[in-house]
Amino acid sequence: MPMRTFLFLGLVLLLAACNRNPLEVVVSRCPAVAVVGDIGTMTRFAGDGQSQDDVDFTAAITDVRSGCTEGNSVVGEMSFVIAAQAGPALRNRVVTVPYFVAVLKDNNAIVSKKRFDARLEFGADGTASVTETLAQVIPTIEQARRYNYEVLLGFQLTPDEVVFNMRR
């Protein structure tokens, strides 16, 4: 038996032993999770000024992780960190930041949106963080197969805070 044939048969047997087709496509019905660009950060000011000296704190949504369980329904689990840095105008060591979780269907229809509050307690180093964990349920696997779902995260900002973020 020529050496080439022997190597080819060995490769075929090795691939067969893996019991996995390398060309197989796995379709997941799990919703994608993302932070919305201009509203993934928040800068809160003390008073009406917007100078560096007026910054109460700056917060960001980071370290987004997601997982999913598929069965008769689809349950998407997500966790993320809200981290903040104190500014020179911070007076309260404990602040509450509002954020939202929105579920979109086919990238354009908002199926649901829920607002939450995260409590941040600043340490002596001027930083604060909290990990938030949530689950989103798509009631039936048929719905998950028919539509593409995604979960969007962001801070619930005031119009002035949005304008500030867009200018940065």
Side-chain angles (χ1 to χ4, degrees):
M1 183 182 290
M3 184 61 137
R4 283 172 123 171
T5 306
F6 180 73
L7 287 174
F8 177 73
L9 288 175
L11 184 59
V12 169
L13 288 174
L14 183 64
L15 286 174
C18 290
N19 197 20
R20 184 174 182 274
N21 181 351
L23 301 176
E24 180 181 8
V25 175
V26 177
V27 176
S28 174
R29 301 298 173 199
C30 300
V33 179
V35 178
V36 180
D38 282 337
I39 55 179
T41 61
M42 165 191 274
T43 301
R44 206 36 78 79
F45 293 96
D48 293 330
Q50 287 193 346
S51 73
Q52 191 64 29
D53 292 336
D54 297 323
V55 173
D56 217 7
F57 64 88
T58 301
I61 298 173
T62 65
D63 200 23
V64 177
R65 299 174 189 259
S66 64
C68 186
T69 305
E70 297 180 62
N72 292 333
S73 63
V74 175
V75 180
E77 301 93 13
M78 71 198 86
S79 69
F80 53 94
V81 174
I82 298 177
Q85 178 67 48
L90 183 70
R91 301 286 177 253
N92 297 322
R93 300 313 275 173
V94 177
V95 298
T96 301
V97 293
Y99 69 91
F100 69 87
V101 176
V103 178
L104 268 66
K105 179 174 73 174
D106 289 341
N107 292 326
N108 63 5
I110 297 175
V111 176
S112 69
K113 179 183 174 195
K114 188 166 182 182
R115 185 185 176 278
F116 298 91
D117 289 319
R119 184 178 183 270
L120 296 171
E121 189 169 337
F122 289 90
D125 63 352
T127 64
S129 68
V130 63
T131 300
E132 298 288 299
T133 304
L134 303 166
Q136 179 61 49
V137 177
I138 300 171
T140 67
I141 194 67
E142 287 77 25
Q143 285 178 310
R145 287 183 184 134
R146 182 177 306 151
Y147 304 107
N148 290 316
Y149 288 93
E150 66 182 309
V151 177
L152 299 178
L153 307 170
F155 288 111
Q156 189 68 48
L157 302 178
T158 66
D160 288 341
E161 290 168 336
V162 172
V163 169
F164 177 81
N165 280 357
M166 292 171 59
R167 287 183 185 157
R168 284 194 311 171

